[in-house]
Short mmCIF file of all heavy atoms in Angstrom, two decimals:
data_model
loop_
_atom_site.label_atom_id
_atom_site.label_comp_id
_atom_site.label_asym_id
_atom_site.label_seq_id
_atom_site.Cartn_x
_atom_site.Cartn_y
_atom_site.Cartn_z
N LEU A 30 261.82 -22.58 186.26
CA LEU A 30 262.02 -22.81 184.83
C LEU A 30 263.27 -22.09 184.32
O LEU A 30 264.05 -22.65 183.55
CB LEU A 30 260.79 -22.37 184.04
CG LEU A 30 259.51 -23.16 184.29
CD1 LEU A 30 258.31 -22.49 183.65
CD2 LEU A 30 259.65 -24.59 183.81
N LEU A 31 263.45 -20.85 184.77
CA LEU A 31 264.62 -20.07 184.36
C LEU A 31 265.92 -20.74 184.81
O LEU A 31 266.86 -20.86 184.03
CB LEU A 31 264.53 -18.65 184.93
CG LEU A 31 265.68 -17.71 184.61
CD1 LEU A 31 265.75 -17.45 183.10
CD2 LEU A 31 265.51 -16.41 185.37
N LYS A 32 265.95 -21.19 186.05
CA LYS A 32 267.14 -21.85 186.58
C LYS A 32 267.46 -23.13 185.81
O LYS A 32 268.62 -23.41 185.48
CB LYS A 32 266.94 -22.16 188.06
CG LYS A 32 268.14 -22.69 188.76
CD LYS A 32 267.87 -22.89 190.25
CE LYS A 32 269.06 -23.49 190.94
NZ LYS A 32 268.79 -23.74 192.35
N ALA A 33 266.44 -23.90 185.49
CA ALA A 33 266.64 -25.14 184.72
C ALA A 33 267.16 -24.83 183.32
O ALA A 33 268.07 -25.49 182.82
CB ALA A 33 265.35 -25.94 184.65
N ALA A 34 266.58 -23.81 182.68
CA ALA A 34 266.98 -23.48 181.30
C ALA A 34 268.39 -22.92 181.24
O ALA A 34 269.18 -23.32 180.38
CB ALA A 34 265.99 -22.47 180.71
N THR A 35 268.72 -22.01 182.13
CA THR A 35 270.05 -21.38 182.08
C THR A 35 271.12 -22.28 182.69
O THR A 35 272.30 -22.10 182.39
CB THR A 35 270.05 -20.01 182.79
OG1 THR A 35 269.63 -20.18 184.15
CG2 THR A 35 269.14 -19.03 182.07
N GLY A 36 270.71 -23.25 183.49
CA GLY A 36 271.67 -24.16 184.10
C GLY A 36 271.92 -25.41 183.30
O GLY A 36 272.68 -26.29 183.72
N GLY A 37 271.26 -25.53 182.14
CA GLY A 37 271.46 -26.70 181.29
C GLY A 37 270.84 -27.98 181.83
O GLY A 37 271.25 -29.07 181.48
N ARG A 38 269.83 -27.84 182.69
CA ARG A 38 269.17 -29.01 183.27
C ARG A 38 267.69 -29.04 182.89
O ARG A 38 266.83 -29.26 183.73
CB ARG A 38 269.32 -28.98 184.80
CG ARG A 38 270.76 -29.10 185.26
CD ARG A 38 270.87 -29.06 186.78
NE ARG A 38 270.14 -27.99 187.41
CZ ARG A 38 270.59 -26.75 187.60
NH1 ARG A 38 271.77 -26.41 187.15
NH2 ARG A 38 269.86 -25.84 188.21
N LEU A 39 267.43 -28.84 181.65
CA LEU A 39 266.06 -28.77 181.18
C LEU A 39 265.52 -30.17 180.89
O LEU A 39 266.10 -30.91 180.11
CB LEU A 39 266.01 -27.91 179.92
CG LEU A 39 264.71 -27.25 179.58
CD1 LEU A 39 264.17 -26.42 180.74
CD2 LEU A 39 264.90 -26.34 178.39
N HIS A 40 264.43 -30.53 181.54
CA HIS A 40 263.81 -31.83 181.31
C HIS A 40 263.09 -31.84 179.97
O HIS A 40 262.79 -30.80 179.40
CB HIS A 40 262.81 -32.13 182.43
CG HIS A 40 263.42 -32.16 183.78
ND1 HIS A 40 264.24 -33.18 184.20
CD2 HIS A 40 263.36 -31.29 184.81
CE1 HIS A 40 264.65 -32.94 185.43
NE2 HIS A 40 264.12 -31.79 185.83
N HIS A 41 262.76 -33.04 179.48
CA HIS A 41 262.09 -33.13 178.19
C HIS A 41 260.60 -32.80 178.29
O HIS A 41 259.95 -32.58 177.28
CB HIS A 41 262.30 -34.51 177.55
CG HIS A 41 261.50 -35.60 178.18
ND1 HIS A 41 261.91 -36.23 179.33
CD2 HIS A 41 260.33 -36.16 177.84
CE1 HIS A 41 261.01 -37.15 179.65
NE2 HIS A 41 260.05 -37.13 178.76
N ALA A 42 260.05 -32.75 179.51
CA ALA A 42 258.63 -32.41 179.68
C ALA A 42 258.45 -31.70 181.02
O ALA A 42 259.12 -32.01 181.99
CB ALA A 42 257.77 -33.68 179.63
N TRP A 43 257.52 -30.76 181.03
CA TRP A 43 257.17 -30.03 182.25
C TRP A 43 255.65 -30.06 182.38
O TRP A 43 254.93 -29.86 181.39
CB TRP A 43 257.63 -28.58 182.15
CG TRP A 43 259.11 -28.44 182.21
CD1 TRP A 43 259.99 -28.58 181.17
CD2 TRP A 43 259.90 -28.16 183.36
NE1 TRP A 43 261.28 -28.40 181.62
CE2 TRP A 43 261.25 -28.13 182.96
CE3 TRP A 43 259.59 -27.92 184.70
CZ2 TRP A 43 262.29 -27.88 183.84
CZ3 TRP A 43 260.64 -27.66 185.57
CH2 TRP A 43 261.97 -27.65 185.15
#
Side-chain angles (χ1 to χ4, degrees):
L30 294 170
L31 179 64
K32 186 177 177 182
T35 58
R38 295 180 312 274
L39 204 54
H40 300 288
H41 74 279
W43 290 83

